[in-house]
Amino acid sequence: MLMSPEQIGRFLRDGYLVCPDVVGEDLLGRLKDRAAQIVDAFDPDQVRSVFSARDGDQHADQYFLESGQAIRCFLEQEALGPDGQLTVPKAQAINKIGHALHDRDEAFQELSEVAGFVSMARQLGLARPREIQSMYIFKPPRIGGEVCWHQDATFLYTDPVTVIGFWIALDDATIENGCLWAVPGGHRSELKRRYFRTFDERLADFEELSDTPFETASETPLEVSAGSLVLLHGLLPHASKPNRSGLTREAYSVHVIDGDAHYPADNWLSLA
Ligand code: FE2
């Protein structure tokens, strides 16, 4: 997508940009069908890996850490009862699919081309944009978990920070079903923490880089219609609240970094 100077200016000012009508209904439908097929083929009895970003204390296991070049399903925390059994049907129990749909699945490759994530990243100043991670996020009705305030550069760090998030709404995202929230201009603050591999039994941990908490008084809901694209600067504080509604709130995100920036070997996601 060719961005106007006005759009680029808004992204640089606010740290995010909403672009409506980027993906048509036909492709949206195919992406949803493809995700449903992947979930259908997933056997939750073999893997009990929960993904939760609720309390900022992200749990890591080998299944997660080895998913950088794979297509894997992660369960919603509230989908598991105390006995370890699913409390909802499998199709409503998934938190996300990660983390290489952009690289390994045709429908999602097509989306990258149609939307032009790499081209937009170049227009925003990345010299050698590279898609390195993708997630299909379900945030299922009633049990879709909260994602606490964070900066994407915490998880996809480069020196200097270059990561840009491209977030596509596959359903209308509203306050009711748990849309994104952001702090306009918040990308001008420093990186608060970095998630890294410890190469010991902890597997991964956070390095605290700042003791100043996120300033979220001006938090703004990003309510968007299905097919919209939201661009997120890597230092922008953003979050989403739980989905307690009966509505789906599916989304798909791709993260792009500048291949010319230094990518530390202890980032959780190893580049192939
Ligand atoms: Fe994020």
Side-chain angles (χ1 to χ4, degrees), residues 60-61 65 195-206:
D61 57 22
L65 290 174
Y195 188 66
F196 68 102
R197 284 182 192 248
T198 59
F199 303 105
D200 60 19
E201 66 283 353
R202 290 174 298 157
L203 299 180
D205 205 349
F206 286 96

Side-chain angles (χ1 to χ4, degrees), residues 129-258:
R130 177 172 175 190
E131 295 181 344
I132 58 162
Q133 186 211 49
S134 50
M135 292 184 279
Y136 191 104
I137 305 154
F138 286 90
K139 205 183 260 293
R142 289 171 283 277
I143 60 167
E146 176 183 4
V147 176
C148 67
W149 288 101
H150 68 281
Q151 298 160 301
D152 287 343
T154 290
F155 301 99
L156 297 169
Y157 181 75
T158 60
D159 184 13
V161 168
T162 56
V163 65
I164 300 174
F166 294 87
W167 188 98
I168 298 273
L170 302 168
D171 293 310
D172 294 345
T174 63
I175 291 174
E176 185 191 5
N177 69 359
C179 67
L180 287 173
W181 290 70
V183 179
H187 62 303
R188 285 190 286 270
S189 66
E190 74 284 10
L191 184 63
K192 305 289 189 194
R193 56 202 317 229
R194 184 169 92 85
Y195 188 66
F196 68 102
R197 284 182 192 248
T198 59
F199 303 105
D200 60 19
E201 66 283 353
R202 290 174 298 157
L203 299 180
D205 205 349
F206 286 96
E207 177 187 8
E208 302 298 332
L209 304 172
S210 162
D211 38 23
T212 321
F214 287 118
E215 178 49 72
T216 59
S218 60
E219 62 173 354
T220 301
L222 307 184
E223 294 191 286
V224 297
S225 55
S228 299
L229 167 65
V230 182
L231 280 70
L232 299 163
H233 187 287
L235 290 174
L236 181 79
H238 59 284
S240 69
K241 305 195 178 180
N243 181 9
R244 298 295 177 205
S245 78
L247 304 166
T248 56
R249 200 237 64 179
E250 297 181 15
Y252 173 70
S253 75
V254 173
H255 285 95
V256 176
I257 59 160
D258 192 336

